[in-house]
Amino acid sequence: FFLGREDYTRFREKEFLASDQGEASGAAGHTVIMSGSGSTSTFSMAHGQALHRRHQFEREHHSVSLSAWSAVLLQTLKLFMLNRVTPKQFRGLPGAAPTAQTIRALSNARSNIYTTAECTLLQWLNEHTLRGSNLTLAGGGGGVPAADMLPAGQENPFRHNDPLVNFDMDLSNGVALCMTVASHAPAQLLPGKPLNSVILEPIDESQCLNNLRALMASLRELG
């Protein structure tokens, strides 16, 4: 929805009134008011409900609009920028050391979900996540392993796939993104620096949030 808040609110109100529930509520309200029995209280109640709906529609506009514009921007990036990424270019990127076999596999990749460019980007993220994780562990960071925090046999729901296979769930805990930054800027892992607090195996939402905050702080510091 790319409407302004006022237009969006009017659209949602019309949509609500057009529904069966809205039509039934409207018909009942008019019947009572015309009868002259208890009309004032019924009108006040209906008016209050209408105001409540309007405020609800106004509040939801921000998240709906943000989602719609984000989808457009991401699709624009995918169409006009991401398609420039090729397996051949991947070979020359800083810190990337793909094998000839990897390059051939990416060049011949066939997916009904991701383009060749997206598969290349995933492979790039995988290489830098591994490199950054090794640097973190070598420096004594990374937090407590999940196996030491969870009961024996319990699966960690916040663990990402290894290797990464998607751009949503596998990036949601912040580990891959933080480690990619660390791979390019190892100094961010030093004591007192943002990425020094990254938890490589987060086990709850608060630890994932910690990683994402560390990522944003690191990006701000790097400019």
Side-chain angles (χ1 to χ4, degrees), residues 38-170:
S39 59
T40 302
S41 60
T42 302
F43 176 78
S44 298
M45 183 179 298
H47 181 66
Q49 291 173 345
L51 284 177
H52 176 74
R53 283 198 306 271
R54 181 177 180 81
H55 292 325
Q56 182 180 353
F57 296 152
E58 289 176 343
R59 287 194 299 270
E60 75 181 29
H61 170 262
H62 176 75
S63 60
V64 172
S65 179
L66 179 63
S67 177
W69 280 108
S70 295
V72 170
L73 290 175
L74 289 173
Q75 288 299 317
T76 301
L77 289 172
K78 177 179 177 179
L79 181 62
F80 295 105
M81 299 195 66
L82 187 57
N83 280 342
R84 299 179 183 180
V85 177
T86 65
K88 184 178 179 180
Q89 290 175 321
F90 179 32
R91 183 183 297 158
L93 291 176
T99 64
Q101 182 179 1
T102 299
I103 296 298
R104 283 196 301 271
L106 289 172
S107 299
N108 298 323
R110 295 292 183 270
S111 171
N112 60 352
I113 300 177
Y114 296 130
T115 64
T116 298
E118 289 170 315
C119 291
T120 302
L121 182 56
L122 276 174
Q123 183 61 33
W124 177 79
L125 284 169
N126 274 308
E127 293 209 7
H128 284 291
T129 297
L130 177 60
R131 186 166 180 258
S133 298
N134 289 337
L135 289 171
T136 300
L137 294 172
V144 180
D148 296 341
M149 300 290 291
L150 296 172
Q154 180 176 332
E155 186 176 345
N156 182 7
F158 295 93
R159 179 182 180 276
H160 61 73
N161 289 302
D162 186 13
L164 307 170
V165 296
N166 58 62
F167 293 100
D168 43 19
M169 294 302 297
D170 283 352

Side-chain angles (χ1 to χ4, degrees), residues 184-208:
H184 288 84
Q188 290 292 300
L189 293 170
L190 295 174
K193 292 293 185 177
L195 298 185
N196 183 258
S197 65
V198 171
I199 300 169
L200 292 180
E201 297 182 18
I203 61 172
D204 56 38
E205 290 184 356
S206 64
Q207 293 184 343
C208 294

